[in-house]
Amino acid sequence: MPLGIFAFFATLAVISALGVILQRSPVHSLLALIVTLLCVAALMIGLDALAVGLLQAIVYVGAIVVLFLFVIWLLNLERDPEESGRLGIKLLAAVGAAALVGELTAFLTRTHMSQQTVNSDYGSMAQLAGLIFGNYLIAFEVTSLLLLVAVVGVVAVARRWPSPRLANRPPTLSAKPQT
Amino acid sequence: MLIDLIISAIKAIFVVLLVLNLSAVLLWFERKGSALIQDRIGANRAGLFGIGRRLGLPNLGIINTFIADPLKIFTKEDFVPDRADKFLYTLAPFLALFPVLISFAPIPFGDRLIVGSHQIELVVCPLTAGILYILAALGLGVYGAALGGWASNNRWALLGSVRASAQLISYELTMGLSIIAVVMVYGTLDLQEICRAQSGTWFGWLPKWGIVYQPLGFLLLLVAGIAESRRIPFDLPEGESELVAGYFTEYSGGKQAAFMLADFAEIVLVSALISTLFFGGWQVPYLQSDGFHLPGGTWLPLSNPVVALLGFVAFGIKVVFFCWLQILIRWTLPRFRYDQLMTLGWKGLLPLGLVNLMVTAVAIVAVGGSV
């Protein structure tokens, strides 16, 4: 990948990632997130992983972020509530962020960077499919099961169950509103 | 190197102009054709200095659609509603139009054209994963409708947005499943390769087009495609009897024109996809790269430019036919109710798509992995 192209998309990815957390309006954050995801997809395509990059765009931009948009609409999040700045939460967030930075630094410094030539079918659909449905089949299926459990859990938590008092009342047939 | 860049640029400009012009022609056909279907007269007011009338020609509304309406729409006040999100409101029409236009890049509009020492593939961008690219671009197209309605600060528009995004992500699944079945048959994601694989005949007369392998897949893609382009019977996002005009209620002038253009370009895209995947793309029946091989055994030799031109014309005819079919459907059927739309998508088309995929997979394994 030419250095200029890498620098462009990498810088844009970082700027838009900052945009995700620095903006007040959730929908604007969402738009910034889309830009970040597309930049990462572009970087993958630049590394000759065309199928992976396009799948990233399809799955994340085309489906998952749309679901985020639905969550924002359904919960009616217009702005960040101003209350979110309590000291305890801020401390907790700082500790979490520091832990993440430490982990990533350790990971990056310990990774052995080496240049090696990849096969000519690197990043192709056939190779990707071989990995997903061959070597890592069980991990892949277990992950999908995990996501299913999460979806069922969200529906169970978010659904407004009728209160038992109302549920036991016989259904009314009259058009008159009950008082 | 420079000459390759110039060729690529010419191809890209050519395709974009083709799509935009075809969209305008479709708009004309939609107005005058719907008048024909409903036994009305349709657009017939504007003329050029009365020349046509003096010559006794019927007014076909061509001046109306191609000159008067664009002039009107681009000189309108560019209105932004009070307390709208101005940035997103301006961005949304571009987000609607841009993804549709870029998704034409991997669709081939002809075979190889040989000019001097150059072999020109008649496709803007030959991608090995062309179908994935189109699906990714279509996924991006959701945001034009979704954010446009949200940014308008209007309840009808927001309802239209919610409906649009729910509908689009529901029918994208069916679309993907029907496309995957075709990909499995041909074993490639490259649209040019899929077109090439559809050459030749069975029994000496039946063209080897994808529809013979995938008749159900064709129907699924047609229905899902109409739903993706948000047209009647799937036009719930803009249903004018319920939501004024849905997500683009508040738009006027050029921005509204961009939304409209995106809708029409999407019709062209669906037609191009259907013709490429199921009707051989640029394949002309019995035409090989060296001329016609008719079923009787006659051989009519043709030179390369003629073959390329015939292929391009064949692709154009197929695309225009499916555009016509979609507009005909739009003026024939009534609108679904929203629960019917969701039932059809999730309980009707999705299981059918899965069954189609299963049957295709079993059949491919049964014949030994090659078709």
Side-chain angles (χ1 to χ4, degrees):
Chain A
M1 178 166 36
L3 186 65
I5 294 179
F6 171 78
F8 175 74
F9 282 115
T11 319
L12 196 59
V14 172
I15 292 173
S16 55
L18 284 175
V20 176
I21 50 173
L22 292 181
Q23 287 184 101
R24 283 245 166 253
S25 158
V27 176
H28 284 213
S29 295
L30 207 72
L31 202 66
L33 181 62
I34 295 170
V35 176
T36 313
L37 292 170
L38 285 180
C39 284
V40 174
L43 289 175
M44 286 174 178
I45 293 170
L47 292 169
D48 277 340
L50 180 64
V52 182
L54 289 175
L55 284 176
Q56 147 115 354
I58 293 174
V59 172
Y60 281 91
V61 180
I64 291 181
V65 180
V66 179
L67 293 185
F68 287 2
L69 196 63
F70 269 94
V71 171
I72 290 173
W73 279 338
L74 293 181
L75 299 182
N76 206 10
L77 297 172
E78 278 296 310
R79 302 238 155 232
D80 262 356
E82 297 295 325
E83 318 284 309
S84 71
R86 283 225 309 270
L87 190 67
I89 291 178
K90 275 184 176 167
L91 271 178
L92 213 61
V95 170
L100 188 65
V101 168
E103 195 183 347
L104 283 177
T105 318
F107 176 72
L108 279 177
T109 47
R110 296 209 183 156
T111 307
H112 178 57
M113 303 278 185
S114 69
Q115 287 197 336
Q116 65 182 71
T117 318
V118 291
N119 295 333
S120 62
D121 70 336
Y122 170 76
S124 73
M125 204 64 199
Q127 199 202 18
L128 190 70
L131 287 177
I132 290 181
F133 298 109
N135 298 12
Y136 301 107
L137 178 67
I138 295 187
F140 182 68
E141 294 297 331
V142 167
T143 314
S144 69
L145 205 64
L146 199 69
L147 288 175
L148 185 68
V149 170
V151 170
V152 172
V154 166
V155 171
V157 171
R159 184 166 170 190
R160 293 206 182 102
W161 299 100
S163 72
R165 194 170 53 84
L166 284 174
N168 290 335
R169 192 184 284 173
T172 51
L173 288 173
S174 64
K176 223 165 66 181
Q178 297 239 325
T179 47
Chain B
M1 184 60 207
L2 183 68
I3 191 94
D4 290 337
L5 269 180
I6 294 174
I7 290 172
S8 293
I10 290 175
K11 283 192 290 192
I13 292 169
F14 177 71
V15 167
V16 168
L17 286 183
L18 207 66
V19 171
L20 291 179
N21 280 304
L22 189 55
S23 306
V25 173
L26 286 180
L27 178 64
W28 171 75
F29 179 69
E30 171 124 320
R31 311 185 76 198
K32 209 61 185 178
S34 71
L36 199 68
I37 290 170
Q38 299 177 332
D39 204 9
R40 290 183 286 115
I41 294 171
N44 72 341
R45 291 292 107 182
L48 274 186
F49 314 114
I51 297 172
R53 202 180 46 215
R54 255 172 246 153
L55 293 175
L57 300 173
N59 191 325
L60 293 176
I62 287 175
I63 308 286
N64 270 67
T65 315
F66 294 112
I67 299 176
D69 282 353
L71 271 181
K72 184 194 89 173
I73 210 161
F74 283 107
T75 47
K76 265 189 173 177
E77 182 193 353
D78 192 13
F79 174 77
V80 181
D82 190 29
R83 291 207 285 154
D85 188 321
K86 208 167 175 186
F87 173 67
L88 285 180
Y89 180 84
T90 316
L91 186 70
F94 296 97
L95 272 183
L97 185 56
F98 178 70
V100 188
L101 288 184
I102 59 167
S103 28
F104 283 93
I107 296 180
F109 52 91
D111 203 355
R112 272 191 209 97
L113 176 69
I114 300 168
V115 181
S117 61
H118 282 275
Q119 285 214 346
I120 304 173
E121 291 275 352
L122 292 184
V123 49
V124 176
C125 181
L127 281 174
T128 49
I131 291 177
L132 288 184
Y133 172 83
I134 294 177
L135 288 177
L138 279 180
L140 200 59
V142 177
Y143 293 101
L147 294 178
W150 181 83
S152 298
N153 191 29
N154 176 321
R155 283 183 175 74
W156 304 124
L158 182 59
L159 275 174
S161 289
V162 176
R163 282 182 174 190
S165 22
Q167 174 177 334
L168 292 186
I169 55 173
S170 302
Y171 279 79
E172 238 162 50
L173 289 175
T174 307
M175 204 167 181
L177 283 178
S178 65
I179 291 176
I180 289 171
V182 179
V183 170
M184 274 163 44
V185 169
Y186 293 112
T188 174
L189 289 163
D190 187 340
L191 286 163
Q192 186 71 290
E193 289 303 314
I194 289 180
C195 275
R196 295 231 163 92
Q198 298 182 52
S199 75
T201 51
W202 280 292
F203 321 120
W205 58 273
L206 186 65
K208 269 191 175 177
W209 287 353
I211 180 148
V212 185
Y213 292 116
Q214 291 286 329
L216 184 60
F218 159 65
L219 288 177
L220 290 174
L221 185 60
L222 182 66
V223 176
I226 296 174
E228 283 287 311
S229 57
R230 304 179 289 270
R231 310 256 302 156
I232 287 177
F234 300 100
D235 77 329
L236 281 300
E238 41 199 271
E240 56 279 277
S241 54
E242 302 153 28
L243 296 180
V244 192
Y247 57 89
F248 56 77
T249 302
E250 296 286 358
Y251 281 89
S252 71
K255 290 178 188 142
Q256 201 250 335
F259 272 122
M260 213 157 64
L261 207 57
D263 273 11
F264 279 100
E266 211 153 325
I267 297 176
V268 182
L269 177 68
V270 171
S271 306
L273 257 185
I274 289 176
S275 350
T276 307
L277 294 177
F278 297 104
F279 290 89
W282 40 263
Q283 297 278 359
V284 184
Y286 316 127
L287 183 68
Q288 313 256 326
S289 55
D290 56 350
F292 275 107
H293 291 263
L294 295 176
T298 20
W299 176 41
L300 186 71
L302 291 171
S303 64
N304 171 268
V306 180
V307 172
L309 183 71
L310 277 177
F312 172 65
V313 170
F315 181 65
I317 290 174
K318 287 169 191 171
V319 169
V320 169
F321 172 79
F322 284 105
C323 292
W324 170 80
L325 185 69
Q326 286 183 63
I327 290 185
L328 208 64
I329 290 171
R330 184 242 182 278
W331 290 99
T332 307
L333 296 178
R335 182 182 304 141
F336 282 114
R337 229 171 40 221
Y338 203 74
D339 60 318
Q340 291 172 331
L341 173 93
M342 283 298 160
T343 312
L344 178 71
W346 289 98
K347 295 184 183 168
L349 296 180
L350 189 67
L352 269 181
L354 286 171
V355 168
N356 188 37
L357 197 65
M358 283 284 288
V359 172
T360 310
V362 169
I364 288 176
V365 171
V367 299
S370 65
V371 180

